[in-house]
């Protein structure tokens, strides 16, 4: 019996089945959709959940008012060299509480914001933020510093939250530029302090510090100097100036316009006090000196 000849395919080739092609196409589409939804396959150069903030992003490292009464912008941006940068709106009063290390604050007549850097001496990743309070119509900017602990967060033994940043006083190198009329309330526990050109109200308290000030021109200023050295230079006569020193060596340099004078009141205990500027009761510019051991000299600028 003769049989019909069957078609013979070339060796090694099979006819593709339509079902297999459809399955491959479906898998490819599913993989593509997954990449789009999860964001993989693109560059994560900007800020992301749990990732570093983009330094170029608007508001990075800035201090915000947040609300009518109080606000905080969180920790500022940090450069690769562990230097934190701050940029904040101008304030009536800048507050630095319990700082240590090297602090430099310079007033700039053309500045309209508060800007600066903070670097930790131990090489830790520095953080700095501004907390704003508008109570009683006075805009107060308080700087808070910290470091990156390297902890992603979690709970401590007592059930409290443990974040990746610790916040507190600034301990390191802090350099700030402020508008000329910004007031300053500073308490420094140790280190070196340089103040230049400040024209707002000053309340400065230092201990174990070397304090230098140039071209100050506030209407009112209060200084407390303990176990430190201080050289305070003024470019304009203040209406009121109070200086309290304990175990310190202090020089105050005051400008003396022609025919002008200061009403200087002195209270000293075991101290050497010298007043070399014109001293006249009833003068418009009042200076109060309280000295407990050490030396203090008031000199013409």
């Amino acid at each position: 019996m003769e049989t019909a000849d069957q078609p013979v395919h070339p060796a090694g080739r099979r006819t593709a089945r339509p079902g297999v092609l459809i399955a491959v196409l479906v898998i490819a589409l599913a993989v593509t959709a997954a990449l789009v939804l999860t964001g993989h396959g693109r560059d994560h150069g900007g800020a992301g959940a749990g990732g570093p903030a983009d330094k170029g992003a608007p508001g990075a490292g800035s201090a915000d008012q947040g609300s009518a009464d109080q606000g905080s912008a969180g920790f500022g941006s940090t450069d690769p060299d562990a230097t934190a940068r701050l940029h904040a709106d101008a304030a009536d009063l800048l507050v630095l509480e319990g700082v240590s290390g090297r602090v430099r604050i310079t007033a700039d007549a053309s500045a309209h914001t508060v800007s600066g850097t903070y670097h930790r001496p131990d090489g830790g990743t520095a953080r700095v933020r501004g907390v704003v309070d508008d109570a009683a119509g006075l805009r107060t900017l308080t700087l808070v510093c910290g470091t990156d602990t390297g902890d992603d967060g979690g709970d401590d033994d007592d059930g409290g939250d443990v974040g990746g940043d610790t916040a507190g006083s600034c301990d390191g190198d802090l350099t700030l530029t402020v508008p000329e009329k910004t007031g300053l309330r500073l308490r420094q526990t140790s280190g070196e302090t340089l103040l230049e050109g400040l024209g707002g109200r000053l309340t400065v308290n230092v201990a174990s510090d070397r304090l230098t000030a140039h071209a100050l021109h506030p209407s009112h200023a209060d200084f407390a100097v303990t176990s430190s050295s201080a050289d305070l230079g003024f470019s304009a006569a203040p209406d009121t100036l109070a200086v309290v020193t304990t175990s310190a060596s202090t020089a105050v340099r005051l400008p003396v316009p022609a025919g002008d004078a200061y009403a200087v009141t002195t209270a000293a205990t075991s101290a050497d006090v010298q007043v070399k500027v014109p001293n006249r009761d009833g003068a418009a510019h009042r200076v109060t000196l309280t000295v407990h051991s050490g030396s203090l000299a008031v000199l013409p600028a």
Side-chain angles (χ1 to χ4, degrees):
M1 179 184 295
E2 295 183 359
T3 59
D5 293 334
Q6 298 295 327
V8 178
H9 295 286
R13 294 185 55 188
R14 296 181 180 179
T15 303
R17 297 180 181 178
V20 173
L21 292 176
I22 294 174
V24 171
L25 180 60
V26 169
I27 293 173
L29 289 175
V31 171
T32 302
L35 288 174
V36 172
L37 290 175
T38 60
H40 294 294
R42 63 181 176 86
D43 183 12
H44 286 275
D54 183 358
K55 291 193 304 177
S62 64
D64 255 335
Q65 179 176 341
S67 66
D69 295 322
Q70 190 172 21
S72 171
F75 288 106
S77 62
T78 302
D79 287 348
D81 64 352
T83 297
R85 300 186 179 276
L86 176 81
H87 188 85
D89 292 339
D92 301 310
L93 178 65
L94 173 66
V95 177
L96 294 170
E97 181 64 29
V99 300
S100 60
R102 288 193 292 267
V103 176
R104 177 172 181 167
I105 304 174
T106 303
D108 184 346
S110 63
H112 300 288
T113 61
V114 176
S115 60
T117 60
Y118 171 58
H119 186 85
R120 291 182 58 85
D122 59 7
T125 302
R127 297 286 188 267
V128 62
R129 66 174 176 173
V131 178
V132 178
D133 191 342
D134 285 332
L138 182 70
R139 182 179 176 86
T140 300
L141 174 65
T142 301
L143 292 193
V144 179
C145 296
T147 186
D148 188 345
T149 64
D151 188 355
D152 291 333
D155 293 335
D156 58 20
D157 294 336
D158 297 324
D161 182 60
V162 179
D165 295 308
T166 60
S169 59
C170 300
D171 176 10
D173 296 337
L174 179 65
T175 301
L176 299 171
T177 299
V178 302
E180 185 179 13
K181 295 300 182 181
T182 304
L184 173 66
R185 186 166 75 231
L186 167 68
R187 185 175 69 85
Q188 182 150 351
T189 58
S190 64
E192 301 176 16
T193 307
L194 176 60
L195 308 177
E196 295 184 298
L198 298 175
R201 178 157 193 157
L202 302 177
T203 303
V204 177
N205 187 326
V206 299
S208 302
D209 189 63
R210 183 170 65 189
L211 170 62
T212 304
H214 302 300
L216 302 180
H217 51 283
S219 297
H220 306 280
D222 295 90
F223 288 89
V225 182
T226 302
S227 302
S228 305
S229 64
D231 194 319
L232 311 176
F234 289 76
S235 60
D239 293 338
T240 62
L241 170 63
V243 181
V244 179
T245 68
T246 303
S247 303
S249 175
T250 305
V252 180
R253 305 177 191 276
L254 297 172
V256 185
D260 208 347
Y262 293 88
V264 181
T265 303
T266 302
T269 304
S270 303
D272 177 20
V273 179
Q274 301 180 38
V275 178
K276 301 294 186 179
V277 298
N279 186 1
R280 185 175 67 238
D281 291 343
H285 307 291
R286 301 186 302 277
V287 177
T288 303
L289 308 174
T290 305
V291 186
H292 305 287
S293 71
S295 64
L296 188 152
V298 182
L299 308 170

